[in-house]
């Protein structure tokens, strides 16, 4: 039950949606605060979308702009597609957090500020040239500012706890969370349960956090700091059991589900890299499903271990981000030549080189499609939302096993760390698929032909150690049929053509391209892939409701494209492709179909807003009218 509201002055205003941004130093517990507020709203029944945005440095200097960590949440009683363009409320723990994020707050929005983070030292660290606090210089007159001495009040609350100042200050995010839970009419219970479980071996820490959390809530309830509170009703969603799901978690669960539905043992070999590492962390929790995880000494060993697992009859998976994928390139070509199933998870981040470790970008589409030596086509699929990572990771496994070939699964930092409600499927709702294993009955006159193929040019999976199925493996070109080493020019041409056609045949085994929103023909088609889904859908929804001829298609199977893909594209006067890169899908579309698609490109480490896409579509519509 929520604490009793004793406030007599604050009015409760019902609204359909709220966007709130928590920001502070990377040591202020901002990600935890945002996550707990997200979980509380998810449990209440809101639809939501999140955007965690944290610094790349493990510990940037405290109080500086480089050290600001943010967590944006958009929740509502309506369908939510994005973390929100502009914020209704901004919670800042110091002046650097305010300076870095004020541009995200709408005029008239709420600022909840920890005044203890606005002293002379913090002003200097945040490079406020005037030396005057923004809370006092009148520059925030267009906003509703709620200044709270969070650090001082937290210390006062725990002065008799026996904890040191350092430990006490670590709980100040709970004071802020308590205040925000009061302001947005939410219960403390999920956070109390979380804290009690997380610190169950340290009861003094549990007591301190819960005490400060309640203090923050009652501070709002009794001090008349704010005269208005806000309430957001539950969203209407299909009946079912939901959980709050992050993209990397969904990827891990999709891989596990594919393992169970195929009957194959899941082996995951990887080397830690941001933002892919959490897939390894999540999978390591699920040994009860027979998952085997292996942290290799480098990227090459990681992918090689997964290929070895596939050679042995397991579902071999490896993962990384762009820089690591580059190192895996030769081995991915090896897997293609061996014609073994292999799933490569690429959680993309900004590049080139090691680029922007904690910032998102759709940086690696061309790398996934073309980034290997020799003629080495590899199938590529991509997820559209955090929860969709489950579906497309599952699909990558299905295609890899059924077509005996490597398959890329593309996610990115925005999907990996973002969250949304997920209605998880039952076992019966997921298709089963099996590996086509060779048996001694495949021997012909006592000879086994490992590269004998079916109608889709797929060879059988021969498990080493099976009597009679001994065959040669390795990275040197093979003779068709026998798999023996071959330098014959005509054989090499034949094998290159055959492998390319085998991958092209995957198009027959993927769904046809559909229209996500809008008519099947019209003036402008907004074509997206990956994490641009939410912003595009929100923009097209607005535009169609305003009467414009605009549709949205989102391609999840990027190589090969669905069989009807060209037909869909040619049904519109103009194709607009928003991408968080400099036009990689656009380049593929122009090259493959000679369609003059228009790009909307952004490489700032942050996702598109709905407004950016709407403006570009309106510009194109104006040009079509002229």
């Amino acid at each position: 039950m929520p604490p009793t509201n004793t406030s007599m002055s604050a009015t409760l205003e019902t609204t359909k949606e709220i966007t709130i941004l928590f920001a502070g130093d990377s040591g202020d517990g901002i990600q935890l605060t945002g996550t707990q507020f997200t979980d509380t709203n998810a449990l209440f029944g809101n639809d939501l979308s999140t955007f965690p945005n944290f610094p790349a440095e493990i510990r940037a200097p405290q109080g500086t702009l480089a050290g600001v960590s943010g967590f944006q949440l958009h929740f509502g009683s309506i369908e939510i597609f994005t973390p929100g363009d502009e914020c209704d409320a901004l919670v800042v723990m110091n002046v650097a957090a305010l300076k870095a994020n004020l541009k995200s707050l709408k005029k008239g929005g709420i600022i909840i500020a920890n005044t203890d983070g606005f002293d002379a030292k913090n002003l200097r660290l945040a490079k406020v040239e005037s030396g005057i606090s923004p809370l006092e210089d009148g520059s925030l007159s267009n906003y509703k500012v709620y200044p709270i001495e969070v650090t001082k009040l937290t210390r006062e609350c725990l002065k008799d706890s026996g904890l040191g100042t350092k430990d006490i200050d670590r709980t100040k995010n709970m004071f802020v969370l308590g205040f925000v839970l009061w302001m947005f009419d939410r219960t403390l219970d999920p956070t109390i349960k979380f804290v009690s479980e997380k610190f169950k071996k340290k009861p003094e820490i549990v007591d301190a956090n819960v005490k400060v959390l309640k203090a923050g809530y009652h501070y709002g309830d009794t001090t008349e700091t704010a005269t208005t509170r806000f309430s957001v009703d539950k969203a209407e969603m299909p009946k079912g059991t939901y959980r709050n799901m992050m993209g990397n978690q969904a990827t891990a669960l999709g891989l596990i589900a594919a393992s169970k539905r195929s009957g194959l043992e899941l082996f995951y070999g990887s080397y830690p890299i941001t933002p892919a590492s959490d897939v390894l962390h999540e999978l390591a929790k699920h040994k009860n499903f027979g998952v085997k995880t292996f942290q290799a000494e480098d990227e090459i060993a990681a992918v090689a271990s997964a290929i070895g697992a596939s050679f042995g009859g397991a579902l071999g998976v490896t993962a990384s981000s762009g820089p690591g994928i580059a190192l895996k390139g030769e081995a991915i070509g090896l897997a293609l030549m061996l014609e073994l199933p292999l799933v490569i998870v690429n959680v993309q981040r900004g590049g080139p080189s090691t680029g922007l470790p904690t910032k998102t970008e759709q940086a690696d589409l061309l790398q996934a499609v073309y980034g290997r030596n020799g003629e080495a086509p590899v199938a590529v699929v991509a997820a559209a939302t955090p929860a969709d990572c489950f579906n497309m990771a599952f699909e990558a496994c299905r295609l890899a096993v059924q077509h005996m070939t490597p398959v890329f699964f593309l996610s990115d930092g925005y999907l990996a760390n973002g969250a949304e409600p997920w209605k998880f499927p039952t076992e019966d709702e997921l298709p089963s698929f099996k590996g086509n294993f060779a048996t001694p009955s495949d021997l012909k006159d006592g000879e086994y032909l490992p590269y004998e193929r079916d109608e889709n040019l797929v060879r059988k999976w021969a498990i080493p150690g099976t009597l009679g199925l001994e065959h040669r493996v390795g990275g040197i070109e093979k003779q068709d049929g026998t798999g023996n080493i071959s330098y014959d020019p005509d054989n090499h041409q034949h094998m290159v053509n055959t492998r390319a056609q085998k991958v092209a045949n995957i198009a027959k085994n993927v769904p046809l391209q559909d229209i996500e929103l809008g008519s099947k023909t019209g003036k402008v088609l907004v074509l997206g892939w990956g994490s641009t889904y939410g912003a595009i859908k929100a923009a097209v929804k607005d535009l169609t409701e305003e009467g414009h001829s605009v549709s949205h298609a989102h391609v999840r199977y990027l190589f090969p494209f669905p069989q009807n893909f060209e037909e869909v594209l040619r049904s519109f006067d103009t194709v607009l492709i928003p991408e968080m890169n400099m036009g990689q899908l656009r380049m593929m579309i122009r090259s493959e179909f000679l369609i003059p698609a228009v790009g909307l490109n952004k490489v700032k480490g942050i996702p598109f807003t709905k407004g950016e896409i709407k403006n570009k579509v309106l510009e194109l519509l104006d040009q079509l009218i002229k």
Side-chain angles (χ1 to χ4, degrees), residues 545-568:
E545 288 174 354
E546 292 167 10
H548 297 289
S549 177
V550 183
S551 298
H552 172 204
H554 215 76
V555 57
R556 290 171 168 82
Y557 300 88
L558 288 149
F559 193 88
F561 291 124
Q563 289 181 301
N564 67 332
F565 195 54
E566 182 178 4
E567 177 187 347
V568 170

mmCIF file of all heavy atoms in Angstrom, residues 545-568:
data_model
loop_
_atom_site.group_PDB
_atom_site.id
_atom_site.type_symbol
_atom_site.label_atom_id
_atom_site.label_comp_id
_atom_site.label_asym_id
_atom_site.label_seq_id
_atom_site.Cartn_x
_atom_site.Cartn_y
_atom_site.Cartn_z
ATOM 1 N N GLU A 545 -2.625 10.663 -38.835
ATOM 2 C CA GLU A 545 -3.780 11.233 -38.140
ATOM 3 C C GLU A 545 -4.059 12.666 -38.613
ATOM 4 O O GLU A 545 -5.185 13.148 -38.544
ATOM 5 C CB GLU A 545 -3.556 11.200 -36.628
ATOM 6 C CG GLU A 545 -3.638 9.788 -36.054
ATOM 7 C CD GLU A 545 -3.276 9.720 -34.577
ATOM 8 O OE1 GLU A 545 -2.850 10.749 -34.007
ATOM 9 O OE2 GLU A 545 -3.413 8.625 -33.992
ATOM 10 N N GLU A 546 -3.009 13.322 -39.110
ATOM 11 C CA GLU A 546 -3.182 14.680 -39.653
ATOM 12 C C GLU A 546 -3.618 14.645 -41.118
ATOM 13 O O GLU A 546 -3.788 15.696 -41.742
ATOM 14 C CB GLU A 546 -1.867 15.446 -39.514
ATOM 15 C CG GLU A 546 -1.492 15.736 -38.062
ATOM 16 C CD GLU A 546 -0.044 16.204 -37.905
ATOM 17 O OE1 GLU A 546 0.605 16.475 -38.941
ATOM 18 O OE2 GLU A 546 0.436 16.262 -36.762
ATOM 19 N N GLY A 547 -3.731 13.430 -41.698
ATOM 20 C CA GLY A 547 -4.253 13.299 -43.049
ATOM 21 C C GLY A 547 -3.212 13.217 -44.147
ATOM 22 O O GLY A 547 -3.553 13.309 -45.330
ATOM 23 N N HIS A 548 -1.950 13.047 -43.809
ATOM 24 C CA HIS A 548 -0.898 12.985 -44.820
ATOM 25 C C HIS A 548 -0.763 11.573 -45.387
ATOM 26 O O HIS A 548 -1.049 10.578 -44.712
ATOM 27 C CB HIS A 548 0.443 13.429 -44.223
ATOM 28 C CG HIS A 548 0.449 14.855 -43.765
ATOM 29 N ND1 HIS A 548 0.426 15.909 -44.637
ATOM 30 C CD2 HIS A 548 0.434 15.391 -42.506
ATOM 31 C CE1 HIS A 548 0.431 17.044 -43.946
ATOM 32 N NE2 HIS A 548 0.431 16.762 -42.646
ATOM 33 N N SER A 549 -0.292 11.500 -46.636
ATOM 34 C CA SER A 549 -0.090 10.217 -47.305
ATOM 35 C C SER A 549 1.304 9.689 -46.969
ATOM 36 O O SER A 549 2.269 9.871 -47.721
ATOM 37 C CB SER A 549 -0.247 10.386 -48.831
ATOM 38 O OG SER A 549 0.022 9.158 -49.477
ATOM 39 N N VAL A 550 1.405 9.058 -45.823
ATOM 40 C CA VAL A 550 2.693 8.565 -45.313
ATOM 41 C C VAL A 550 2.495 7.165 -44.739
ATOM 42 O O VAL A 550 1.479 6.892 -44.099
ATOM 43 C CB VAL A 550 3.233 9.492 -44.188
ATOM 44 C CG1 VAL A 550 4.598 9.012 -43.721
ATOM 45 C CG2 VAL A 550 3.314 10.917 -44.670
ATOM 46 N N SER A 551 3.459 6.294 -44.973
ATOM 47 C CA SER A 551 3.409 4.941 -44.418
ATOM 48 C C SER A 551 4.766 4.591 -43.808
ATOM 49 O O SER A 551 5.778 5.227 -44.096
ATOM 50 C CB SER A 551 3.050 3.923 -45.504
ATOM 51 O OG SER A 551 1.772 4.197 -46.038
ATOM 52 N N HIS A 552 4.747 3.556 -42.978
ATOM 53 C CA HIS A 552 5.962 3.101 -42.310
ATOM 54 C C HIS A 552 6.171 1.616 -42.578
ATOM 55 O O HIS A 552 5.269 0.805 -42.371
ATOM 56 C CB HIS A 552 5.821 3.340 -40.789
ATOM 57 C CG HIS A 552 6.933 2.746 -39.968
ATOM 58 N ND1 HIS A 552 6.781 2.411 -38.638
ATOM 59 C CD2 HIS A 552 8.212 2.444 -40.267
ATOM 60 C CE1 HIS A 552 7.911 1.922 -38.175
ATOM 61 N NE2 HIS A 552 8.794 1.937 -39.140
ATOM 62 N N ALA A 553 7.349 1.264 -43.078
ATOM 63 C CA ALA A 553 7.753 -0.146 -43.191
ATOM 64 C C ALA A 553 9.060 -0.313 -42.427
ATOM 65 O O ALA A 553 9.933 0.568 -42.477
ATOM 66 C CB ALA A 553 7.932 -0.535 -44.655
ATOM 67 N N HIS A 554 9.187 -1.419 -41.724
ATOM 68 C CA HIS A 554 10.408 -1.650 -40.946
ATOM 69 C C HIS A 554 10.984 -3.005 -41.340
ATOM 70 O O HIS A 554 10.342 -4.041 -41.157
ATOM 71 C CB HIS A 554 10.093 -1.608 -39.451
ATOM 72 C CG HIS A 554 11.200 -1.012 -38.649
ATOM 73 N ND1 HIS A 554 11.445 0.348 -38.608
ATOM 74 C CD2 HIS A 554 12.152 -1.571 -37.888
ATOM 75 C CE1 HIS A 554 12.481 0.590 -37.844
ATOM 76 N NE2 HIS A 554 12.936 -0.564 -37.394
ATOM 77 N N VAL A 555 12.180 -2.989 -41.892
ATOM 78 C CA VAL A 555 12.766 -4.225 -42.410
ATOM 79 C C VAL A 555 13.619 -4.888 -41.326
ATOM 80 O O VAL A 555 14.531 -4.264 -40.771
ATOM 81 C CB VAL A 555 13.580 -3.970 -43.693
ATOM 82 C CG1 VAL A 555 14.679 -2.936 -43.495
ATOM 83 C CG2 VAL A 555 14.155 -5.270 -44.235
ATOM 84 N N ARG A 556 13.280 -6.117 -40.999
ATOM 85 C CA ARG A 556 14.023 -6.885 -39.990
ATOM 86 C C ARG A 556 14.999 -7.869 -40.639
ATOM 87 O O ARG A 556 15.935 -8.307 -40.003
ATOM 88 C CB ARG A 556 13.049 -7.626 -39.077
ATOM 89 C CG ARG A 556 12.256 -6.714 -38.148
ATOM 90 C CD ARG A 556 11.164 -7.491 -37.430
ATOM 91 N NE ARG A 556 10.579 -6.727 -36.334
ATOM 92 C CZ ARG A 556 9.637 -5.803 -36.481
ATOM 93 N NH1 ARG A 556 9.193 -5.504 -37.682
ATOM 94 N NH2 ARG A 556 9.146 -5.172 -35.423
ATOM 95 N N TYR A 557 14.732 -8.254 -41.894
ATOM 96 C CA TYR A 557 15.608 -9.189 -42.624
ATOM 97 C C TYR A 557 16.363 -8.364 -43.659
ATOM 98 O O TYR A 557 15.847 -8.021 -44.720
ATOM 99 C CB TYR A 557 14.772 -10.292 -43.265
ATOM 100 C CG TYR A 557 13.990 -11.097 -42.238
ATOM 101 C CD1 TYR A 557 12.720 -10.685 -41.841
ATOM 102 C CD2 TYR A 557 14.543 -12.244 -41.653
ATOM 103 C CE1 TYR A 557 12.014 -11.406 -40.882
ATOM 104 C CE2 TYR A 557 13.837 -12.959 -40.701
ATOM 105 C CZ TYR A 557 12.567 -12.538 -40.326
ATOM 106 O OH TYR A 557 11.878 -13.249 -39.374
ATOM 107 N N LEU A 558 17.617 -8.045 -43.333
ATOM 108 C CA LEU A 558 18.386 -7.067 -44.103
ATOM 109 C C LEU A 558 19.266 -7.690 -45.174
ATOM 110 O O LEU A 558 19.721 -7.016 -46.090
ATOM 111 C CB LEU A 558 19.230 -6.232 -43.151
ATOM 112 C CG LEU A 558 18.391 -5.252 -42.319
ATOM 113 C CD1 LEU A 558 19.003 -5.017 -40.954
ATOM 114 C CD2 LEU A 558 18.231 -3.935 -43.057
ATOM 115 N N PHE A 559 19.575 -8.973 -45.021
ATOM 116 C CA PHE A 559 20.284 -9.680 -46.077
ATOM 117 C C PHE A 559 20.055 -11.170 -45.921
ATOM 118 O O PHE A 559 20.415 -11.719 -44.900
ATOM 119 C CB PHE A 559 21.786 -9.381 -46.040
ATOM 120 C CG PHE A 559 22.482 -9.831 -47.292
ATOM 121 C CD1 PHE A 559 22.583 -8.992 -48.391
ATOM 122 C CD2 PHE A 559 23.020 -11.114 -47.379
ATOM 123 C CE1 PHE A 559 23.215 -9.416 -49.547
ATOM 124 C CE2 PHE A 559 23.655 -11.539 -48.535
ATOM 125 C CZ PHE A 559 23.757 -10.698 -49.629
ATOM 126 N N PRO A 560 19.456 -11.814 -46.902
ATOM 127 C CA PRO A 560 18.841 -11.191 -48.068
ATOM 128 C C PRO A 560 17.532 -10.504 -47.689
ATOM 129 O O PRO A 560 16.924 -10.828 -46.673
ATOM 130 C CB PRO A 560 18.599 -12.375 -48.994
ATOM 131 C CG PRO A 560 18.417 -13.542 -48.075
ATOM 132 C CD PRO A 560 19.322 -13.295 -46.916
ATOM 133 N N PHE A 561 17.106 -9.552 -48.527
ATOM 134 C CA PHE A 561 15.835 -8.878 -48.288
ATOM 135 C C PHE A 561 14.670 -9.829 -48.540
ATOM 136 O O PHE A 561 14.804 -10.806 -49.296
ATOM 137 C CB PHE A 561 15.690 -7.673 -49.226
ATOM 138 C CG PHE A 561 16.630 -6.536 -48.917
ATOM 139 C CD1 PHE A 561 17.498 -6.048 -49.892
ATOM 140 C CD2 PHE A 561 16.633 -5.932 -47.663
ATOM 141 C CE1 PHE A 561 18.356 -4.999 -49.622
ATOM 142 C CE2 PHE A 561 17.493 -4.881 -47.382
ATOM 143 C CZ PHE A 561 18.363 -4.412 -48.358
ATOM 144 N N PRO A 562 13.510 -9.564 -47.953
ATOM 145 C CA PRO A 562 12.318 -10.365 -48.245
ATOM 146 C C PRO A 562 12.006 -10.341 -49.738
ATOM 147 O O PRO A 562 12.318 -9.373 -50.445
ATOM 148 C CB PRO A 562 11.213 -9.689 -47.427
ATOM 149 C CG PRO A 562 11.942 -8.997 -46.316
ATOM 150 C CD PRO A 562 13.244 -8.563 -46.900
ATOM 151 N N GLN A 563 11.354 -11.376 -50.240
ATOM 152 C CA GLN A 563 11.149 -11.543 -51.675
ATOM 153 C C GLN A 563 10.318 -10.420 -52.299
ATOM 154 O O GLN A 563 10.478 -10.102 -53.469
ATOM 155 C CB GLN A 563 10.493 -12.895 -51.951
ATOM 156 C CG GLN A 563 11.442 -14.070 -51.713
ATOM 157 C CD GLN A 563 10.794 -15.402 -52.013
ATOM 158 O OE1 GLN A 563 9.786 -15.752 -51.411
ATOM 159 N NE2 GLN A 563 11.364 -16.145 -52.935
ATOM 160 N N ASN A 564 9.398 -9.835 -51.520
ATOM 161 C CA ASN A 564 8.539 -8.773 -52.082
ATOM 162 C C ASN A 564 9.053 -7.371 -51.755
ATOM 163 O O ASN A 564 8.326 -6.389 -51.907
ATOM 164 C CB ASN A 564 7.124 -8.919 -51.529
ATOM 165 C CG ASN A 564 7.061 -8.628 -50.029
ATOM 166 O OD1 ASN A 564 8.045 -8.823 -49.321
ATOM 167 N ND2 ASN A 564 5.920 -8.143 -49.566
ATOM 168 N N PHE A 565 10.279 -7.271 -51.302
ATOM 169 C CA PHE A 565 10.777 -5.993 -50.782
ATOM 170 C C PHE A 565 10.755 -4.894 -51.846
ATOM 171 O O PHE A 565 10.281 -3.772 -51.600
ATOM 172 C CB PHE A 565 12.190 -6.198 -50.238
ATOM 173 C CG PHE A 565 12.682 -5.086 -49.368
ATOM 174 C CD1 PHE A 565 11.958 -4.660 -48.270
ATOM 175 C CD2 PHE A 565 13.880 -4.456 -49.648
ATOM 176 C CE1 PHE A 565 12.416 -3.634 -47.461
ATOM 177 C CE2 PHE A 565 14.350 -3.436 -48.843
ATOM 178 C CZ PHE A 565 13.613 -3.022 -47.764
ATOM 179 N N GLU A 566 11.274 -5.197 -53.018
ATOM 180 C CA GLU A 566 11.315 -4.183 -54.084
ATOM 181 C C GLU A 566 9.902 -3.718 -54.452
ATOM 182 O O GLU A 566 9.663 -2.528 -54.667
ATOM 183 C CB GLU A 566 12.024 -4.729 -55.324
ATOM 184 C CG GLU A 566 12.131 -3.691 -56.447
ATOM 185 C CD GLU A 566 12.884 -4.216 -57.656
ATOM 186 O OE1 GLU A 566 13.258 -5.404 -57.644
ATOM 187 O OE2 GLU A 566 13.092 -3.433 -58.611
ATOM 188 N N GLU A 567 8.974 -4.670 -54.501
ATOM 189 C CA GLU A 567 7.589 -4.322 -54.842
ATOM 190 C C GLU A 567 7.012 -3.330 -53.833
ATOM 191 O O GLU A 567 6.330 -2.367 -54.206
ATOM 192 C CB GLU A 567 6.751 -5.606 -54.863
ATOM 193 C CG GLU A 567 5.280 -5.402 -55.142
ATOM 194 C CD GLU A 567 4.490 -6.696 -54.990
ATOM 195 O OE1 GLU A 567 5.115 -7.774 -54.907
ATOM 196 O OE2 GLU A 567 3.256 -6.622 -54.916
ATOM 197 N N VAL A 568 7.306 -3.541 -52.557
ATOM 198 C CA VAL A 568 6.826 -2.621 -51.513
ATOM 199 C C VAL A 568 7.418 -1.231 -51.719
ATOM 200 O O VAL A 568 6.711 -0.216 -51.682
ATOM 201 C CB VAL A 568 7.182 -3.162 -50.112
ATOM 202 C CG1 VAL A 568 6.904 -2.103 -49.042
ATOM 203 C CG2 VAL A 568 6.400 -4.434 -49.822
#
